[in-house]
PDB file of all heavy atoms in Angstrom:
ATOM      1  N   GLU Y 106      95.988 107.312 105.720  1.00 94.00           N
ATOM      2  CA  GLU Y 106      94.685 107.969 105.907  1.00 94.00           C
ATOM      3  C   GLU Y 106      94.262 108.717 104.644  1.00 94.00           C
ATOM      4  O   GLU Y 106      93.087 108.684 104.267  1.00 94.00           O
ATOM      5  CB  GLU Y 106      94.713 108.896 107.119  1.00 94.00           C
ATOM      6  CG  GLU Y 106      94.761 108.166 108.447  1.00 94.00           C
ATOM      7  CD  GLU Y 106      93.537 107.293 108.714  1.00 94.00           C
ATOM      8  OE1 GLU Y 106      92.468 107.482 108.084  1.00 94.00           O
ATOM      9  OE2 GLU Y 106      93.658 106.389 109.565  1.00 94.00           O
ATOM     10  N   ALA Y 107      95.208 109.378 103.987  1.00 96.00           N
ATOM     11  CA  ALA Y 107      94.883 110.068 102.733  1.00 96.00           C
ATOM     12  C   ALA Y 107      94.487 109.056 101.652  1.00 96.00           C
ATOM     13  O   ALA Y 107      93.577 109.314 100.855  1.00 96.00           O
ATOM     14  CB  ALA Y 107      96.063 110.922 102.279  1.00 96.00           C
ATOM     15  N   SER Y 108      95.149 107.914 101.642  1.00 96.00           N
ATOM     16  CA  SER Y 108      94.801 106.850 100.690  1.00 96.00           C
ATOM     17  C   SER Y 108      93.397 106.339 100.965  1.00 96.00           C
ATOM     18  O   SER Y 108      92.620 106.085 100.038  1.00 96.00           O
ATOM     19  CB  SER Y 108      95.815 105.706 100.786  1.00 96.00           C
ATOM     20  OG  SER Y 108      97.105 106.147 100.430  1.00 96.00           O
ATOM     21  N   ARG Y 109      93.063 106.202 102.239  1.00 94.00           N
ATOM     22  CA  ARG Y 109      91.707 105.782 102.621  1.00 94.00           C
ATOM     23  C   ARG Y 109      90.680 106.801 102.127  1.00 94.00           C
ATOM     24  O   ARG Y 109      89.617 106.433 101.623  1.00 94.00           O
ATOM     25  CB  ARG Y 109      91.627 105.634 104.131  1.00 94.00           C
ATOM     26  CG  ARG Y 109      90.214 105.327 104.617  1.00 94.00           C
ATOM     27  CD  ARG Y 109      90.146 105.427 106.113  1.00 94.00           C
ATOM     28  NE  ARG Y 109      90.309 104.105 106.678  1.00 94.00           N
ATOM     29  CZ  ARG Y 109      90.416 103.869 107.974  1.00 94.00           C
ATOM     30  NH1 ARG Y 109      90.428 104.862 108.834  1.00 94.00           N
ATOM     31  NH2 ARG Y 109      90.523 102.638 108.420  1.00 94.00           N
ATOM     32  N   THR Y 110      90.999 108.069 102.250  1.00 96.00           N
ATOM     33  CA  THR Y 110      90.101 109.127 101.784  1.00 96.00           C
ATOM     34  C   THR Y 110      89.892 109.034 100.275  1.00 96.00           C
ATOM     35  O   THR Y 110      88.762 109.177  99.782  1.00 96.00           O
ATOM     36  CB  THR Y 110      90.655 110.506 102.178  1.00 96.00           C
ATOM     37  OG1 THR Y 110      90.714 110.577 103.608  1.00 96.00           O
ATOM     38  CG2 THR Y 110      89.794 111.641 101.640  1.00 96.00           C
ATOM     39  N   VAL Y 111      90.954 108.793  99.534  1.00 96.00           N
ATOM     40  CA  VAL Y 111      90.843 108.617  98.085  1.00 96.00           C
ATOM     41  C   VAL Y 111      89.938 107.428  97.776  1.00 96.00           C
ATOM     42  O   VAL Y 111      89.054 107.508  96.907  1.00 96.00           O
ATOM     43  CB  VAL Y 111      92.237 108.434  97.441  1.00 96.00           C
ATOM     44  CG1 VAL Y 111      92.116 107.988  95.990  1.00 96.00           C
ATOM     45  CG2 VAL Y 111      93.045 109.722  97.534  1.00 96.00           C
ATOM     46  N   ALA Y 112      90.139 106.314  98.482  1.00 95.00           N
ATOM     47  CA  ALA Y 112      89.314 105.115  98.251  1.00 95.00           C
ATOM     48  C   ALA Y 112      87.839 105.416  98.531  1.00 95.00           C
ATOM     49  O   ALA Y 112      86.965 105.015  97.753  1.00 95.00           O
ATOM     50  CB  ALA Y 112      89.819 103.966  99.119  1.00 95.00           C
ATOM     51  N   ARG Y 113      87.578 106.116  99.624  1.00 96.00           N
ATOM     52  CA  ARG Y 113      86.185 106.486  99.937  1.00 96.00           C
ATOM     53  C   ARG Y 113      85.598 107.374  98.847  1.00 96.00           C
ATOM     54  O   ARG Y 113      84.452 107.190  98.437  1.00 96.00           O
ATOM     55  CB  ARG Y 113      86.121 107.210 101.279  1.00 96.00           C
ATOM     56  CG  ARG Y 113      86.228 106.311 102.460  1.00 96.00           C
ATOM     57  CD  ARG Y 113      86.102 107.105 103.744  1.00 96.00           C
ATOM     58  NE  ARG Y 113      86.220 106.228 104.883  1.00 96.00           N
ATOM     59  CZ  ARG Y 113      86.814 106.562 106.020  1.00 96.00           C
ATOM     60  NH1 ARG Y 113      87.318 107.774 106.180  1.00 96.00           N
ATOM     61  NH2 ARG Y 113      86.882 105.706 107.009  1.00 96.00           N
ATOM     62  N   ARG Y 114      86.381 108.365  98.412  1.00 95.00           N
ATOM     63  CA  ARG Y 114      85.915 109.283  97.371  1.00 95.00           C
ATOM     64  C   ARG Y 114      85.567 108.523  96.097  1.00 95.00           C
ATOM     65  O   ARG Y 114      84.610 108.872  95.400  1.00 95.00           O
ATOM     66  CB  ARG Y 114      86.987 110.334  97.104  1.00 95.00           C
ATOM     67  CG  ARG Y 114      86.561 111.411  96.122  1.00 95.00           C
ATOM     68  CD  ARG Y 114      87.660 112.416  95.846  1.00 95.00           C
ATOM     69  NE  ARG Y 114      88.699 111.779  95.053  1.00 95.00           N
ATOM     70  CZ  ARG Y 114      90.005 111.839  95.295  1.00 95.00           C
ATOM     71  NH1 ARG Y 114      90.472 112.522  96.313  1.00 95.00           N
ATOM     72  NH2 ARG Y 114      90.869 111.230  94.516  1.00 95.00           N
ATOM     73  N   ARG Y 115      86.315 107.481  95.787  1.00 94.00           N
ATOM     74  CA  ARG Y 115      86.046 106.675  94.589  1.00 94.00           C
ATOM     75  C   ARG Y 115      84.885 105.715  94.783  1.00 94.00           C
ATOM     76  O   ARG Y 115      84.432 105.092  93.835  1.00 94.00           O
ATOM     77  CB  ARG Y 115      87.287 105.873  94.197  1.00 94.00           C
ATOM     78  CG  ARG Y 115      88.392 106.716  93.617  1.00 94.00           C
ATOM     79  CD  ARG Y 115      89.505 105.838  93.046  1.00 94.00           C
ATOM     80  NE  ARG Y 115      89.041 104.971  91.974  1.00 94.00           N
ATOM     81  CZ  ARG Y 115      88.845 105.330  90.712  1.00 94.00           C
ATOM     82  NH1 ARG Y 115      89.060 106.576  90.344  1.00 94.00           N
ATOM     83  NH2 ARG Y 115      88.432 104.456  89.800  1.00 94.00           N
ATOM     84  N   GLY Y 116      84.450 105.537  96.014  1.00 94.00           N
ATOM     85  CA  GLY Y 116      83.385 104.573  96.292  1.00 94.00           C
ATOM     86  C   GLY Y 116      83.903 103.153  96.386  1.00 94.00           C
ATOM     87  O   GLY Y 116      83.134 102.194  96.259  1.00 94.00           O
ATOM     88  N   ALA Y 117      85.211 102.998  96.612  1.00 94.00           N
ATOM     89  CA  ALA Y 117      85.811 101.668  96.715  1.00 94.00           C
ATOM     90  C   ALA Y 117      85.349 100.977  98.001  1.00 94.00           C
ATOM     91  O   ALA Y 117      85.015 101.631  98.993  1.00 94.00           O
ATOM     92  CB  ALA Y 117      87.336 101.767  96.698  1.00 94.00           C
ATOM     93  N   ALA Y 118      85.347  99.670  97.968  1.00 92.00           N
ATOM     94  CA  ALA Y 118      84.897  98.892  99.129  1.00 92.00           C
ATOM     95  C   ALA Y 118      85.949  98.859 100.236  1.00 92.00           C
ATOM     96  O   ALA Y 118      85.604  98.822 101.412  1.00 92.00           O
ATOM     97  CB  ALA Y 118      84.548  97.475  98.697  1.00 92.00           C
ATOM     98  N   TRP Y 119      87.226  98.865  99.871  1.00 91.00           N
ATOM     99  CA  TRP Y 119      88.294  98.872 100.867  1.00 91.00           C
ATOM    100  C   TRP Y 119      89.605  99.289 100.252  1.00 91.00           C
ATOM    101  O   TRP Y 119      89.758  99.329  99.039  1.00 91.00           O
ATOM    102  CB  TRP Y 119      88.446  97.521 101.580  1.00 91.00           C
ATOM    103  CG  TRP Y 119      88.765  96.358 100.689  1.00 91.00           C
ATOM    104  CD1 TRP Y 119      89.993  96.007 100.168  1.00 91.00           C
ATOM    105  CD2 TRP Y 119      87.860  95.357 100.227  1.00 91.00           C
ATOM    106  NE1 TRP Y 119      89.891  94.876  99.403  1.00 91.00           N
ATOM    107  CE2 TRP Y 119      88.591  94.448  99.419  1.00 91.00           C
ATOM    108  CE3 TRP Y 119      86.495  95.139 100.404  1.00 91.00           C
ATOM    109  CZ2 TRP Y 119      88.004  93.345  98.805  1.00 91.00           C
ATOM    110  CZ3 TRP Y 119      85.919  94.038  99.786  1.00 91.00           C
ATOM    111  CH2 TRP Y 119      86.672  93.174  99.006  1.00 91.00           C
ATOM    112  N   LEU Y 120      90.546  99.614 101.134  1.00 92.00           N
ATOM    113  CA  LEU Y 120      91.935  99.915 100.786  1.00 92.00           C
ATOM    114  C   LEU Y 120      92.749  98.704 101.206  1.00 92.00           C
ATOM    115  O   LEU Y 120      92.573  98.198 102.318  1.00 92.00           O
ATOM    116  CB  LEU Y 120      92.399 101.164 101.544  1.00 92.00           C
ATOM    117  CG  LEU Y 120      93.881 101.551 101.405  1.00 92.00           C
ATOM    118  CD1 LEU Y 120      94.193 102.005  99.982  1.00 92.00           C
ATOM    119  CD2 LEU Y 120      94.231 102.637 102.414  1.00 92.00           C
ATOM    120  N   GLU Y 121      93.615  98.238 100.334  1.00 90.00           N
ATOM    121  CA  GLU Y 121      94.436  97.063 100.654  1.00 90.00           C
ATOM    122  C   GLU Y 121      95.890  97.336 100.335  1.00 90.00           C
ATOM    123  O   GLU Y 121      96.209  98.225  99.545  1.00 90.00           O
ATOM    124  CB  GLU Y 121      93.940  95.842  99.883  1.00 90.00           C
ATOM    125  CG  GLU Y 121      93.955  96.012  98.368  1.00 90.00           C
ATOM    126  CD  GLU Y 121      93.294  94.865  97.637  1.00 90.00           C
ATOM    127  OE1 GLU Y 121      93.797  93.722  97.730  1.00 90.00           O
ATOM    128  OE2 GLU Y 121      92.261  95.119  96.984  1.00 90.00           O
ATOM    129  N   TRP Y 122      96.772  96.595 100.983  1.00 83.00           N
ATOM    130  CA  TRP Y 122      98.200  96.707 100.729  1.00 83.00           C
ATOM    131  C   TRP Y 122      98.902  95.473 101.253  1.00 83.00           C
ATOM    132  O   TRP Y 122      98.313  94.658 101.951  1.00 83.00           O
ATOM    133  CB  TRP Y 122      98.784  97.980 101.337  1.00 83.00           C
ATOM    134  CG  TRP Y 122      98.741  98.061 102.835  1.00 83.00           C
ATOM    135  CD1 TRP Y 122      99.688  97.621 103.709  1.00 83.00           C
ATOM    136  CD2 TRP Y 122      97.700  98.631 103.635  1.00 83.00           C
ATOM    137  NE1 TRP Y 122      99.321  97.884 104.994  1.00 83.00           N
ATOM    138  CE2 TRP Y 122      98.093  98.508 104.985  1.00 83.00           C
ATOM    139  CE3 TRP Y 122      96.488  99.238 103.347  1.00 83.00           C
ATOM    140  CZ2 TRP Y 122      97.314  98.957 106.048  1.00 83.00           C
ATOM    141  CZ3 TRP Y 122      95.715  99.686 104.402  1.00 83.00           C
ATOM    142  CH2 TRP Y 122      96.125  99.547 105.718  1.00 83.00           C
ATOM    143  N   ALA Y 123     100.174  95.342 100.910  1.00 79.00           N
ATOM    144  CA  ALA Y 123     101.005  94.218 101.364  1.00 79.00           C
ATOM    145  C   ALA Y 123     102.380  94.774 101.716  1.00 79.00           C
ATOM    146  O   ALA Y 123     102.742  95.879 101.310  1.00 79.00           O
ATOM    147  CB  ALA Y 123     101.125  93.169 100.264  1.00 79.00           C
ATOM    148  N   THR Y 124     103.125  94.009 102.465  1.00 77.00           N
ATOM    149  CA  THR Y 124     104.506  94.384 102.759  1.00 77.00           C
ATOM    150  C   THR Y 124     105.342  93.119 102.849  1.00 77.00           C
ATOM    151  O   THR Y 124     104.805  92.015 102.949  1.00 77.00           O
ATOM    152  CB  THR Y 124     104.609  95.219 104.053  1.00 77.00           C
ATOM    153  OG1 THR Y 124     105.917  95.783 104.124  1.00 77.00           O
ATOM    154  CG2 THR Y 124     104.341  94.391 105.297  1.00 77.00           C
ATOM    155  N   ALA Y 125     106.626  93.289 102.814  1.00 76.00           N
ATOM    156  CA  ALA Y 125     107.536  92.155 102.925  1.00 76.00           C
ATOM    157  C   ALA Y 125     107.424  91.542 104.323  1.00 76.00           C
ATOM    158  O   ALA Y 125     107.236  92.267 105.308  1.00 76.00           O
ATOM    159  CB  ALA Y 125     108.971  92.603 102.657  1.00 76.00           C
ATOM    160  N   PRO Y 126     107.563  90.229 104.427  1.00 69.00           N
ATOM    161  CA  PRO Y 126     107.446  89.570 105.738  1.00 69.00           C
ATOM    162  C   PRO Y 126     108.458  90.066 106.770  1.00 69.00           C
ATOM    163  O   PRO Y 126     108.186  90.030 107.960  1.00 69.00           O
ATOM    164  CB  PRO Y 126     107.686  88.093 105.421  1.00 69.00           C
ATOM    165  CG  PRO Y 126     107.396  87.949 103.975  1.00 69.00           C
ATOM    166  CD  PRO Y 126     107.731  89.273 103.346  1.00 69.00           C
ATOM    167  N   ASP Y 127     109.602  90.574 106.316  1.00 79.00           N
ATOM    168  CA  ASP Y 127     110.631  91.032 107.256  1.00 79.00           C
ATOM    169  C   ASP Y 127     110.578  92.542 107.513  1.00 79.00           C
ATOM    170  O   ASP Y 127     111.420  93.074 108.234  1.00 79.00           O
ATOM    171  CB  ASP Y 127     112.020  90.628 106.780  1.00 79.00           C
ATOM    172  CG  ASP Y 127     112.406  91.254 105.453  1.00 79.00           C
ATOM    173  OD1 ASP Y 127     111.534  91.823 104.764  1.00 79.00           O
ATOM    174  OD2 ASP Y 127     113.598  91.173 105.095  1.00 79.00           O
ATOM    175  N   ASN Y 128     109.586  93.241 106.979  1.00 72.00           N
ATOM    176  CA  ASN Y 128     109.463  94.677 107.209  1.00 72.00           C
ATOM    177  C   ASN Y 128     108.633  94.906 108.479  1.00 72.00           C
ATOM    178  O   ASN Y 128     107.488  95.344 108.440  1.00 72.00           O
ATOM    179  CB  ASN Y 128     108.846  95.379 105.997  1.00 72.00           C
ATOM    180  CG  ASN Y 128     108.966  96.885 106.075  1.00 72.00           C
ATOM    181  OD1 ASN Y 128     109.261  97.443 107.127  1.00 72.00           O
ATOM    182  ND2 ASN Y 128     108.717  97.547 104.969  1.00 72.00           N
ATOM    183  N   HIS Y 129     109.257  94.623 109.618  1.00 76.00           N
ATOM    184  CA  HIS Y 129     108.557  94.673 110.901  1.00 76.00           C
ATOM    185  C   HIS Y 129     108.172  96.092 111.307  1.00 76.00           C
ATOM    186  O   HIS Y 129     107.148  96.288 111.960  1.00 76.00           O
ATOM    187  CB  HIS Y 129     109.406  93.999 111.980  1.00 76.00           C
ATOM    188  CG  HIS Y 129     109.710  92.569 111.644  1.00 76.00           C
ATOM    189  ND1 HIS Y 129     108.747  91.590 111.622  1.00 76.00           N
ATOM    190  CD2 HIS Y 129     110.870  91.975 111.279  1.00 76.00           C
ATOM    191  CE1 HIS Y 129     109.292  90.441 111.267  1.00 76.00           C
ATOM    192  NE2 HIS Y 129     110.583  90.641 111.050  1.00 76.00           N
ATOM    193  N   THR Y 130     108.975  97.068 110.919  1.00 77.00           N
ATOM    194  CA  THR Y 130     108.641  98.463 111.238  1.00 77.00           C
ATOM    195  C   THR Y 130     107.314  98.841 110.592  1.00 77.00           C
ATOM    196  O   THR Y 130     106.423  99.395 111.245  1.00 77.00           O
ATOM    197  CB  THR Y 130     109.762  99.406 110.777  1.00 77.00           C
ATOM    198  OG1 THR Y 130     110.972  99.027 111.431  1.00 77.00           O
ATOM    199  CG2 THR Y 130     109.441 100.852 111.092  1.00 77.00           C
ATOM    200  N   ALA Y 131     107.173  98.531 109.303  1.00 72.00           N
ATOM    201  CA  ALA Y 131     105.917  98.831 108.603  1.00 72.00           C
ATOM    202  C   ALA Y 131     104.769  98.036 109.212  1.00 72.00           C
ATOM    203  O   ALA Y 131     103.665  98.563 109.389  1.00 72.00           O
ATOM    204  CB  ALA Y 131     106.055  98.529 107.124  1.00 72.00           C
ATOM    205  N   GLN Y 132     105.016  96.793 109.547  1.00 76.00           N
ATOM    206  CA  GLN Y 132     103.953  95.954 110.099  1.00 76.00           C
ATOM    207  C   GLN Y 132     103.419  96.509 111.421  1.00 76.00           C
ATOM    208  O   GLN Y 132     102.215  96.415 111.691  1.00 76.00           O
ATOM    209  CB  GLN Y 132     104.449  94.529 110.288  1.00 76.00           C
ATOM    210  CG  GLN Y 132     104.655  93.809 108.967  1.00 76.00           C
ATOM    211  CD  GLN Y 132     105.307  92.465 109.141  1.00 76.00           C
ATOM    212  OE1 GLN Y 132     104.995  91.728 110.060  1.00 76.00           O
ATOM    213  NE2 GLN Y 132     106.238  92.145 108.252  1.00 76.00           N
ATOM    214  N   ARG Y 133     104.280  97.108 112.239  1.00 76.00           N
ATOM    215  CA  ARG Y 133     103.803  97.717 113.491  1.00 76.00           C
ATOM    216  C   ARG Y 133     102.816  98.852 113.187  1.00 76.00           C
ATOM    217  O   ARG Y 133     101.779  98.977 113.847  1.00 76.00           O
ATOM    218  CB  ARG Y 133     104.977  98.217 114.329  1.00 76.00           C
ATOM    219  CG  ARG Y 133     105.660  97.122 115.115  1.00 76.00           C
ATOM    220  CD  ARG Y 133     106.628  97.662 116.147  1.00 76.00           C
ATOM    221  NE  ARG Y 133     107.737  98.413 115.578  1.00 76.00           N
ATOM    222  CZ  ARG Y 133     108.841  97.874 115.057  1.00 76.00           C
ATOM    223  NH1 ARG Y 133     108.979  96.560 115.028  1.00 76.00           N
ATOM    224  NH2 ARG Y 133     109.797  98.642 114.580  1.00 76.00           N
ATOM    225  N   LEU Y 134     103.146  99.674 112.201  1.00 74.00           N
ATOM    226  CA  LEU Y 134     102.222 100.740 111.810  1.00 74.00           C
ATOM    227  C   LEU Y 134     100.926 100.143 111.291  1.00 74.00           C
ATOM    228  O   LEU Y 134      99.839 100.527 111.713  1.00 74.00           O
ATOM    229  CB  LEU Y 134     102.858 101.641 110.740  1.00 74.00           C
ATOM    230  CG  LEU Y 134     101.920 102.642 110.064  1.00 74.00           C
ATOM    231  CD1 LEU Y 134     101.339 103.631 111.075  1.00 74.00           C
ATOM    232  CD2 LEU Y 134     102.636 103.364 108.939  1.00 74.00           C
TER     233      LEU Y 134
END
Side-chain angles (χ1 to χ4, degrees):
E106 289 297 341
S108 297
R109 175 190 264 174
T110 298
V111 169
R113 283 182 181 144
R114 185 182 71 228
R115 288 189 61 80
W119 60 80
L120 174 68
E121 59 188 296
W122 65 89
T124 192
D127 63 348
N128 192 345
H129 301 292
T130 301
Q132 289 173 41
R133 280 192 297 279
L134 170 62

